[in-house]
Amino acid sequence: MLHELQADPISQSNNCLYIQEELLKRIIYVEKRSRKCRETLKGLKRQLGSKTSPLLNNKEAGLIKAHIHQCNQRIGGYQRLLMTFKSIADGLAFTYIDKWDIKPMVFKESSGFISQKKGLRSELKFLRHVFLKGGVGILNDLTNCLHAGDICVALENRPYIFEIKSGRADNARVKRQRKHIEDISNYLYFDRADKMYGVEGDFQRFPIHSQEMNHMDKFNSIVASARSSTGKYCLEEIENGLYYGATYVEDDHMLDPIIKKHPGKLIVSMLNEWKYSTTGYYPFSLSFRDSNAWYDFCRGKLIILIAVDYEVIQQKLLSAGLSMKYNPHPDWSSESYLEVSNVKSNSAFTGLLIGGHFFGRLFTEFLSLDWTIQSIIDRVIRIESKYS
């Protein structure tokens, strides 16, 4: 249903509400199961730590510890299931809202269980009213990516953030929420803000240098090949120095051909590590066009690997008069970054850090490597022009 809606978001807009209401039912059900499991866990821990007579013998204590382990596993499973359901709602958000407008709304701690929210009834009433009037709204708590306000109303691909209150709206908490929404709104509509991501300062954004180029079609083609092939395996070079691999069999030697070609020069990311990411990337629920393949990916049956030769990046940057230092972190995370420097001695520009969140899109959103590198070069040109 999500993919049908994405293909025709205007005429299918009522399905946006239907999907949210169906997700809400499932999320509330899973939250209740998780809450019950947490209560059981608390009781087991109290029982294990009890000093009352008679004391537990080793066998009894062992059974309780095994039950505690089982509860912890179930709670973890419920949490992953909630994030998977919410990734479908993320697909709704990315269908109706520009992804660069979504990014500022990600970096705030998510609220607790939606089933425990007192204002849920008021939010649902507002949401249904939006659709009744022909609009499109997203209930933010159904998503992993919208953490500003309660509901985002999408108008012409832009978000309008609403905080729904059923009681008094003048306490300190409400004022903080209002200020947070105001900061984000200023950034979204005026491209400037004096506070973002919890940091004071002058924040300004600029348009990307050109329309985004990605390899989403090629990625899905490779996944389809892996699903249909006898060996359940497919690895291809997408651009010079950029490789996609999909496999249904665990094979430590999958990357051997490109490791031999680029010894010691690869940045490798296993996309399965990003399944439960809440960093606001384009959701895998949309990236995978085959629902069965997405399900295989979610359950860990399908493994996706993306590798890039950072020497290729260095060479392309050098052609623009830039040098690069790669500062890795295990896998690729927001703590990894590229340090770009100017090789020209007469330039006022000295250096630029490309954070893991931006460069991570090369992997999670299947961006073109050439396009990504050109984005970095464009940033440097913009900074140089500012200093010249």
Side-chain angles (χ1 to χ4, degrees):
M1 289 187 67
L2 173 63
H3 283 269
E4 289 172 359
L5 183 146
Q6 186 195 33
D8 191 4
I10 303 302
S11 65
Q12 293 278 330
S13 61
N14 283 336
N15 281 339
C16 180
L17 176 61
Y18 176 80
I19 290 172
Q20 290 183 80
E21 292 186 330
E22 288 298 304
L23 284 173
L24 182 61
K25 293 175 189 176
R26 286 160 172 76
I27 287 172
I28 288 176
Y29 173 77
V30 175
E31 286 181 352
K32 287 180 178 178
R33 293 294 295 267
S34 180
R35 193 180 306 118
K36 184 177 180 180
C37 198
R38 290 172 190 271
E39 291 170 357
T40 300
L41 181 62
K42 287 180 182 179
L44 289 168
K45 288 182 176 179
R46 282 196 301 267
Q47 188 178 353
L48 187 64
S50 175
K51 302 298 182 181
T52 58
S53 182
L55 295 176
L56 298 171
N57 59 41
N58 289 340
K59 183 178 180 180
E60 291 170 332
L63 289 172
I64 292 174
K65 288 178 181 179
H67 198 178
I68 288 174
H69 177 70
Q70 186 182 55
C71 282
N72 281 323
Q73 284 189 317
R74 285 182 177 176
I75 290 169
Y78 289 141
Q79 183 62 32
R80 290 188 291 273
L81 186 56
L82 287 173
M83 296 183 76
T84 302
F85 279 137
K86 288 184 176 185
S87 71
I88 298 175
D90 289 341
L92 297 175
F94 277 80
T95 296
Y96 288 99
I97 302 172
D98 184 271
K99 75 175 185 179
W100 299 109
D101 285 351
I102 288 175
K103 179 187 172 183
M105 294 187 277
V106 173
F107 299 99
K108 183 177 179 291
E109 188 176 348
S110 178
S111 58
F113 283 174
I114 193 171
S115 55
Q116 294 178 314
K117 197 170 185 180
K118 293 180 180 178
L120 178 59
R121 183 173 296 182
S122 298
E123 291 175 21
L124 282 174
K125 183 179 179 180
F126 183 90
L127 182 71
R128 288 165 181 157
H129 184 73
V130 170
F131 282 93
L132 185 65
K133 294 296 184 180
V136 172
I138 309 292
L139 188 60
N140 292 357
D141 284 338
L142 291 179
T143 74
N144 295 308
C145 65
L146 300 179
H147 297 157
D150 297 316
I151 290 175
C152 279
V153 175
L155 293 174
E156 298 181 346
N157 217 31
R158 303 296 299 274
Y160 290 80
I161 307 167
F162 290 84
E163 187 79 36
I164 312 301
K165 297 298 178 188
S166 55
R168 294 184 61 186
D170 58 355
N171 57 50
R173 179 172 175 270
V174 171
K175 289 177 181 177
R176 286 196 304 271
Q177 290 173 333
R178 188 181 297 133
K179 182 62 169 66
H180 178 62
I181 293 173
E182 182 181 316
D183 290 337
I184 290 177
S185 297
N186 285 338
Y187 186 73
L188 293 179
Y189 303 115
F190 303 110
D191 297 322
R192 297 192 80 106
D194 55 14
K195 183 178 180 182
M196 284 292 295
Y197 315 119
V199 179
E200 300 279 354
D202 182 22
F203 288 83
Q204 186 174 0
R205 68 172 180 171
F206 300 92
I208 54 178
H209 69 285
S210 66
Q211 185 175 351
E212 177 185 301
M213 296 178 61
N214 62 60
H215 298 296
M216 205 78 73
D217 291 339
K218 193 61 180 176
F219 161 70
N220 279 279
S221 173
I222 289 171
V223 169
S225 295
R227 282 178 59 79
S228 62
S229 67
T230 305
K232 300 292 184 182
Y233 170 92
C234 184
L235 175 66
E236 290 188 24
E237 184 172 15
I238 309 302
E239 290 180 29
N240 179 30
L242 177 65
Y243 300 84
Y244 290 178
T247 179
Y248 276 82
V249 292
E250 290 191 28
D251 186 353
D252 294 336
H253 302 290
M254 177 181 176
L255 295 175
D256 281 358
I258 57 175
I259 289 174
K260 291 177 181 177
K261 186 178 179 181
H262 310 279
K265 303 171 184 175
L266 290 178
I267 302 171
V268 180
S269 178
M270 187 169 79
L271 281 200
N272 301 66
E273 300 289 340
W274 297 86
K275 278 190 297 190
Y276 306 112
S277 168
T278 56
T279 49
Y281 290 133
Y282 193 79
F284 293 124
S285 58
L286 287 180
S287 300
F288 283 87
R289 292 169 186 157
D290 182 337
S291 298
N292 291 319
W294 181 63
Y295 178 64
D296 290 340
F297 177 75
C298 289
R299 63 196 289 233
K301 190 177 178 181
L302 170 62
I303 299 169
I304 306 293
L305 290 171
I306 294 182
V308 59
D309 180 358
Y310 65 83
E311 191 170 80
V312 171
I313 303 175
Q314 288 177 318
Q315 291 171 351
K316 290 180 180 293
L317 289 175
L318 189 60
S319 67
L322 303 171
S323 64
M324 182 202 79
K325 180 183 178 183
Y326 169 48
N327 296 277
H329 189 268
D331 300 315
W332 182 274
S333 74
S334 58
E335 295 181 41
S336 300
Y337 62 93
L338 300 177
E339 190 173 349
V340 179
S341 304
N342 203 326
V343 297
K344 305 171 189 173
S345 58
N346 60 344
S347 174
F349 165 76
T350 55
L352 175 69
L353 297 183
I354 305 297
H357 187 272
F358 173 78
F359 201 73
R361 294 181 186 272
L362 176 68
F363 307 103
T364 59
E365 298 185 352
F366 313 101
L367 296 184
S368 159
L369 179 59
D370 284 342
W371 184 89
T372 303
I373 294 171
Q374 189 57 49
S375 296
I376 296 172
I377 294 171
D378 182 72
R379 289 188 184 196
V380 173
I381 293 172
R382 197 187 303 271
I383 293 172
E384 284 186 314
S385 64
K386 180 179 179 181
Y387 285 105
S388 62

